[in-house]
Amino acid sequence: MNRNIRIVGVAVLGMFLALFISTTTIQVFQVNNLANGPENRRSQLADYEIERGPILIDGTPIASSNPVNNMYRYQRSYANGPLYSAVTGYYTYTQGSTGIEDAMNAELSGKSDSQFFAGLNRLFTGQTPAGAAVELTINANAQQVAYDALGDLRGSVVAFDPATGAIIAMVSTPGYDPNGLSGPDQEQVLDTYNQLLADPNGPLQNRAIGGDMNPPGSVFKLVIAAAALEEGIATPDSPLENPATWTLPGSTAVVNNPSHGSPCGSGETTNLRIAIEQSCNIPFAQLAVQLGDDKIRAMAEKLGFGHEFKVPMTASASIYPDGPLDDAQTGLTGFGQFDVRATPLQMALVSGAIANGGVVMNPTLVESVLTPDLRELQGQQVSEFGRAFSAETASALESMMIGSVSSGVASNARIDGVDVAGKTGTAENGDDEPYSLWFTGFVATDTTHIAVAVVLEDGGGMGQSGTGNGSAATIGQQVMKAVLDG
């Protein structure tokens, strides 16, 4: 073999190897990304050839697909779109999808593993391809009450059953109408999407489970109280120091109780019960320093902080700051400030753990997945996230939270005839910035259990004049009462 033939042979072999490696990489390692990528219009058009399954509440569609005479064959439509936008999300040709539409896409589009044989059956019988229906755990009345109560305010409400994790209400305002993103005119869809994206109020943010999270303020005192009880450094009625002001260790920053310059209660000492009922800052700052950031973080993580829950869309992990923190920083976290951030879902889970004897349940929006002929493919997935604290600690926290509503600063959450457990929060965002207002709590009867969390940004429309009890507790009360009233 002469030299030229060898060179050509080596070149051909090199080209063959390069082709082999590139095709293997594409077909083996990149196939899923390419198939599911937003730029794969052929795959997306194929999705539109299937009648996408509906999203249901008590059997009534809040999202459904209707046949149309254009290239998409079906168009998605939403009943009461803004009311349910935090739940359904949107489904578009060019701008992707969010919410249940995204998280349950495999089921809704008929591509989940559990629908494989049903798909084969339709292929051989000539039936029209169709996706599964997703029935939600949402209580339509509670959802409507939460939505109406929030009105034009910027905020969110989450309510769930603390025994099962079933989410009863999930509202984020301002919402948006997903119908504006599901039409066939893609220029119009893009224009609507860009308007929503540019809106300074962030309607595309789902504040219930993510977005720009707020400092939890005084509702985080429940986490500190749980850690203090579990560590045995306080009981509900054991005496605590009761200064009128307190300078954070190693700093010049001064902590005040809600009534600036006043102690927590009238006694020479105070206790955890009074501190919860009156939402005093100094006892919790001192307890936080005594506990240390590692123990606070450990309790927060047992309650779900630092974890992304799948509801089934991903809920952002709420934040207790990474350590080590100095004593001044740790003291500020004692009343939910410094770099603590939380979603309403997370604070509802804290109340839910207290209502559920210390056990945190994994939250979910999905009650069942049904075939087009209404056979159940999947029931509600009830599962524990874990035990955060003992039943004794849960009982002590419940009694203090009931006191906060019956005779403390969460009085607007009262409901005649039942004991409501609650805690308010009024979180600072900076010297001149509006407060974030919070309420979290729960109520339990023989037949009904509900835990709720409310956050109002921009001080509930009142800047630094709003309080957690003034607006957030009132909304929480309305949602809990709606569930109790059935």
Side-chain angles (χ1 to χ4, degrees):
M1 182 181 297
N2 64 37
R3 183 172 178 274
N4 289 339
I5 292 177
R6 284 200 301 272
I7 292 173
V8 170
V10 170
V12 169
L13 179 61
M15 293 168 65
F16 175 78
L17 288 174
L19 180 63
F20 175 77
I21 292 171
S22 62
T23 54
T24 300
T25 300
I26 292 171
Q27 295 187 13
V28 176
F29 300 107
Q30 297 181 350
V31 60
N32 290 331
N33 289 338
L34 292 171
N36 298 324
E39 67 279 1
N40 188 352
R41 300 287 184 252
R42 188 172 61 179
S43 173
Q44 291 175 331
L45 276 176
D47 286 346
Y48 277 84
E49 293 178 354
I50 298 172
E51 183 177 358
R52 190 173 177 81
I55 301 173
L56 309 171
I57 294 178
D58 294 330
T60 301
I62 59 171
S64 57
S65 292
N66 304 308
V68 291
N69 293 318
N70 58 41
M71 62 187 290
Y72 301 112
R73 299 190 62 184
Y74 292 97
Q75 181 173 330
R76 205 65 168 158
S77 65
Y78 300 86
N80 294 316
L83 172 63
Y84 294 112
S85 61
V87 177
T88 62
Y90 56 76
Y91 182 73
T92 74
Y93 176 56
T94 56
Q95 304 306 315
S97 55
T98 60
I100 288 292
E101 292 279 29
D102 179 55
M104 297 297 288
N105 180 60
E107 289 77 7
L108 292 166
S109 61
K111 296 178 178 177
S112 71
D113 292 343
S114 61
Q115 293 161 274
F116 177 74
F117 290 107
L120 280 181
N121 182 53
R122 287 195 195 88
L123 185 65
F124 287 114
T125 60
Q127 296 178 41
T128 303
V134 176
E135 175 77 41
L136 302 181
T137 56
I138 291 291
N139 176 314
N141 185 41
Q143 182 84 2
Q144 186 70 60
V145 168
Y147 184 77
D148 292 343
L150 284 169
D152 295 331
L153 300 177
R154 199 171 69 206
S156 175
V157 174
V158 173
F160 83 114
D161 184 334
T164 67
I167 295 174
I168 298 167
M170 178 184 286
V171 178
S172 179
T173 55
Y176 60 93
D177 189 350
N179 287 300
L181 298 169
S182 65
D185 185 336
Q186 296 310 308
E187 286 188 14
Q188 188 176 48
V189 167
L190 182 60
D191 183 55
T192 301
Y193 180 78
N194 286 333
Q195 287 180 37
L196 291 169
L197 208 60
D199 189 326
N201 287 316
L204 291 179
Q205 289 186 30
N206 188 346
R207 292 175 166 82
I209 59 173
D212 297 329
M213 286 186 282
N214 291 270
S218 292
V219 291
F220 192 75
K221 291 171 181 172
L222 297 173
V223 180
I224 302 297
L229 291 167
E230 286 287 285
E231 293 295 327
I233 66 173
T235 70
D237 302 305
S238 59
L240 300 172
E241 294 179 17
N242 194 20
T245 60
W246 190 57
T247 302
L248 289 166
S251 80
T252 57
V254 175
V255 177
N256 282 279
N257 290 316
S259 297
H260 280 219
S262 298
C264 185
S266 58
E268 292 185 1
T269 62
T270 188
N271 57 44
L272 206 51
R273 187 180 304 280
I274 296 171
I276 287 281
E277 291 180 1
Q278 301 302 317
S279 199
C280 301
N281 293 332
I282 295 172
F284 283 98
Q286 293 178 326
L287 284 171
V289 172
Q290 191 174 348
L291 283 163
D293 61 299
D294 286 343
K295 289 179 179 176
I296 299 171
R297 189 177 303 103
M299 175 55 70
E301 290 177 354
K302 287 180 181 178
L303 287 160
F305 279 74
H307 179 76
E308 292 183 335
F309 288 94
K310 306 290 185 184
V311 299
M313 52 271 214
T314 301
S316 300
S318 294
I319 300 166
Y320 186 82
D322 293 333
L325 306 182
D326 62 35
D327 284 348
Q329 294 167 335
T330 303
L332 289 171
T333 69
F335 48 101
Q337 295 288 171
F338 187 51
D339 288 338
V340 185
R341 297 290 183 273
T343 63
L345 175 67
Q346 176 60 71
M347 294 319 304
L349 290 175
V350 172
S351 282
I354 297 167
N356 199 36
V359 176
V360 181
M361 302 300 292
N362 283 309
T364 182
L365 278 162
V366 177
E367 182 172 295
S368 61
V369 178
L370 307 168
T371 64
D373 56 358
L374 301 182
R375 285 183 295 107
E376 185 174 284
L377 289 171
Q378 174 191 312
Q380 184 181 334
Q381 307 293 301
V382 179
S383 62
E384 292 183 7
F385 176 69
R387 175 171 286 282
F389 40 73
S390 68
E392 291 75 17
T393 291
S395 178
L397 290 167
E398 179 179 3
S399 72
M400 291 186 282
M401 291 174 73
I402 289 174
S404 176
V405 174
S406 64
S407 57
V409 297
S411 58
N412 282 344
R414 293 174 192 161
I415 300 174
D416 290 342
V418 295
D419 286 332
V420 177
K423 182 74 194 76
T424 56
T426 305
E428 297 181 2
N429 291 289
D431 290 342
D432 300 318
E433 296 299 319
Y435 294 153
S436 298
L437 309 181
W438 287 86
F439 172 79
T440 187
F442 62 93
V443 63
T445 67
D446 292 340
T447 57
T448 305
H449 300 80
I450 176 175
V452 65
V454 180
V455 67
L456 300 176
E457 298 179 354
D458 193 31
M462 293 186 287
Q464 293 191 344
S465 299
T467 65
N469 191 40
S471 302
T474 302
I475 294 173
Q477 187 264 6
Q478 292 174 353
V479 175
M480 290 188 287
K481 190 171 185 301
V483 177
L484 290 175
D485 292 344

